[in-house]
Amino acid sequence: DVQLQASGGGWVQAGGSLRLSCAASEYTFEDLTIGWFRQAPGKEREGVSCINNSNGRTYYADSVKGRFTISSDSAKNTVYLQMNSLKPEDTAVYYCAALLNPWHGTWSVQGAYDYWGQGTLVTVSS
């Protein structure tokens, strides 16, 4: 099974930046699409971004386009989510998840992901 370890959460003021990391193991990295999801208090979990490590394609939720950047380092089996211009509404527990390539459909459907890491809390103060 794929093992995922998320890290990098913390507290930041509005307008600041954080970088989340998701380290994957026990599977061939290029065979994975890694996604980031988040769940704010009292809200449903939502897709934030994902990257297909077989072809490099990236996807973003409209709410984070232009502010967040997803990337991967195959040498480290790690996916990063660089979050800039953070807003209080970005406050949430962030999860990384993996699904096996190839896949079809919508990247942000949680049920498509087979493996989940633990969450990392991001708090953005106003």
Side-chain angles (χ1 to χ4, degrees), residues 31 33 50 52 54-55 57 59 99-114:
D31 289 341
T33 284
C50 87
N52 185 326
S54 71
N55 58 25
R57 289 180 181 170
Y59 306 82
L99 59 84
L100 306 181
N101 295 326
W103 53 272
H104 305 281
T106 305
W107 68 270
S108 57
V109 175
Q110 298 178 53
Y113 289 77
D114 303 298

Side-chain angles (χ1 to χ4, degrees), residues 4 10-11 14 16 20-21 30 32 37 49 58 61-62 72 74 77 83 92 101-102 104-105 109 119 125-126:
L4 300 171
W11 180 91
L20 304 183
S21 299
E30 288 71 23
L32 300 175
F37 290 78
S49 181
T58 59
D62 288 342
S72 66
S74 59
N77 283 6
M83 305 186 295
N101 295 326
H104 305 281
V109 175
S125 66
S126 57

Side-chain angles (χ1 to χ4, degrees), residues 2 76 98 117 119-120:
V2 179
K76 296 182 178 180
T120 185

Side-chain angles (χ1 to χ4, degrees), residues 22-35:
C22 178
S25 61
E26 309 301 329
Y27 215 90
T28 302
F29 191 65
E30 288 71 23
D31 289 341
L32 300 175
T33 284
I34 304 289

Side-chain angles (χ1 to χ4, degrees), residues 2-124:
V2 179
Q3 303 293 320
L4 300 171
Q5 181 72 37
S7 61
W11 180 91
V12 65
Q13 288 189 322
S17 299
L18 282 174
R19 189 178 77 161
L20 304 183
S21 299
C22 178
S25 61
E26 309 301 329
Y27 215 90
T28 302
F29 191 65
E30 288 71 23
D31 289 341
L32 300 175
T33 284
I34 304 289
W36 284 99
F37 290 78
R38 67 185 181 186
Q39 187 165 21
K43 294 189 176 181
E44 298 284 322
R45 189 178 300 184
E46 63 176 357
V48 176
S49 181
C50 87
I51 185 166
N52 185 326
N53 289 317
S54 71
N55 58 25
R57 289 180 181 170
T58 59
Y59 306 82
Y60 296 94
D62 288 342
S63 59
V64 306
K65 280 181 182 176
R67 300 188 298 122
F68 291 11
T69 303
I70 193 168
S71 62
S72 66
D73 184 339
S74 59
K76 296 182 178 180
N77 283 6
T78 299
V79 167
Y80 302 99
L81 185 69
Q82 178 66 43
M83 305 186 295
N84 298 330
S85 302
L86 283 162
K87 304 174 181 179
E89 51 263 45
D90 294 317
T91 294
V93 177
Y94 285 70
Y95 301 87
C96 62
L99 59 84
L100 306 181
N101 295 326
W103 53 272
H104 305 281
T106 305
W107 68 270
S108 57
V109 175
Q110 298 178 53
Y113 289 77
D114 303 298
Y115 307 97
W116 290 80
Q118 89 292 357
T120 185
L121 177 61
V122 172
T123 303
V124 184

